[in-house]
Amino acid sequence: MAKVFIDGSSGTAGLRIHSRLAGRADIELTVLDGAERRDVKKRRDALNGCDIAVLCLPDDASRESVSMIENPDVRVVDTSTAHRVSPGWAYGFPELSAAHREAIVSGKRVASPGCHAGGFIALVQPLVEAGALPADALLACHSLTGYSGGGKGMIADYESGSRPAAFDSPRQYGISQQHKHLPEMAKISGLSNLPLFCPIVADFYSGMLVTVPLFAKALNPGFGISELKEIYAAKYRGPVVKYTESMDEAGFVSSNALAGSDAMEIAVFGNEERILLCSRFDNLGKGASGAAVQCINLMTGADETTGLEL
């Protein structure tokens, strides 16, 4: 039985991870109540007394928690942005390659993917890996997400009876092009240039649709839309990430169609000149808590889909 401590269990991701792990015969959860969570000694004891510490905290708090771990046997899954491009940390997206999977299975430090970033990387990394897309490609990405991705504060803002009228329409953000997901998106994908990234939050609770548009002439010689479909079909065969030929509903692609699910769908649209690469998932599922639970399963030797909604 693995002893798991969730540091930050009162946040959106922490609560969902807790609900997926609670009651499992192979997991013993360590829980600190509200007062104990603010007690540094109790947190330190919990962090050093578990087999796996799951960090569901802001970046600086996650770094602090890691610095408090002195027990060399403690393994860490960090859901924050703090360590996703740090040396010595495995990237928690096992579908990317056998090496990524093994790094999670055997690793002491695992950084769970970001929501927008995970959707982008799932689309771009296979193409760079296969030689279809040059590593120095200049890419754009737009990502439409539900408001739960902003955490408790944004959830409260959107669900307030006195919210501004502007919240009724989709709102683009990250307009300074300094979004914290950018380093992760480039490095894990194998790109030498940061993408131009346009995230958009809209008035629905959860769900995400990430789109990377491509001119076919940006691909390396010998690759077109058919070859891209073949690359994804060979790589993403489930059980969590799957390629599909038909993600749309009568020509429309709904960003919240997988709300409540921990799965991810990959699809390719367009023609021989202009191509749309799309990933669809739940920003709280494969984009957050579901991805973390999948990593925990691999680290403990459980079936990777245990506790997931697929």
Side-chain angles (χ1 to χ4, degrees), residues 181-195:
H181 283 182
L182 286 169
E184 173 187 359
M185 294 165 75
K187 180 176 179 179
I188 307 302
S189 296
L191 295 173
S192 57
N193 298 304
L194 298 179

Side-chain angles (χ1 to χ4, degrees), residues 294-308:
Q294 186 181 3
C295 290
I296 293 166
N297 288 336
L298 290 170
M299 295 165 76
T300 61
D303 183 284
E304 68 181 290
T305 63
T306 303
L308 300 183

Side-chain angles (χ1 to χ4, degrees), residues 46-245:
L47 286 165
N48 285 282
C50 63
D51 297 307
I52 300 176
V54 184
L55 311 182
C56 300
L57 302 163
D59 289 5
D60 288 343
S62 286
R63 295 185 187 99
E64 178 187 51
S65 290
V66 172
S67 73
M68 293 166 66
I69 298 174
E70 299 170 342
N71 182 346
D73 295 326
V74 173
R75 306 172 75 187
V76 178
V77 176
D78 185 6
T79 67
S80 81
T81 314
H83 299 103
R84 291 179 188 154
V85 295
S86 297
W89 285 76
Y91 192 73
F93 203 118
E95 291 84 3
L96 294 180
S97 71
H100 282 86
R101 180 176 294 272
E102 178 53 34
I104 298 166
V105 170
S106 60
K108 286 292 185 72
R109 300 288 185 267
V110 177
S112 192
C115 49
H116 298 290
F120 176 86
I121 291 163
L123 296 171
V124 176
Q125 187 269 353
L127 305 188
V128 176
E129 178 187 57
L133 190 67
D136 63 354
L138 298 174
L139 300 181
C141 169
H142 68 259
S143 181
L144 181 60
T145 182
Y147 58 78
S148 60
K152 284 186 171 181
M154 184 172 284
I155 292 171
D157 287 343
Y158 266 87
E159 297 183 352
S160 169
S162 59
R163 73 183 197 183
F167 282 40
D168 295 341
S169 68
R171 297 188 298 153
Q172 185 168 312
Y173 62 103
I175 55 178
S176 68
Q177 289 302 303
Q178 298 295 321
H179 196 285
K180 65 180 183 177
H181 283 182
L182 286 169
E184 173 187 359
M185 294 165 75
K187 180 176 179 179
I188 307 302
S189 296
L191 295 173
S192 57
N193 298 304
L194 298 179
L196 198 162
F197 178 41
C198 302
I200 303 165
V201 61
D203 187 16
F204 57 94
Y205 184 74
S206 69
M208 179 166 278
L209 175 65
V210 177
T211 302
V212 177
L214 283 177
F215 284 106
K217 63 183 179 181
L219 297 170
N220 284 323
F223 292 92
I225 189 169
S226 297
E227 287 73 24
L228 302 193
K229 292 179 178 181
E230 291 171 1
I231 290 169
Y232 291 134
K235 191 177 192 73
Y236 295 134
R237 294 176 288 182
V240 178
V241 183
K242 296 180 181 179
Y243 171 75
T244 176
E245 287 282 351

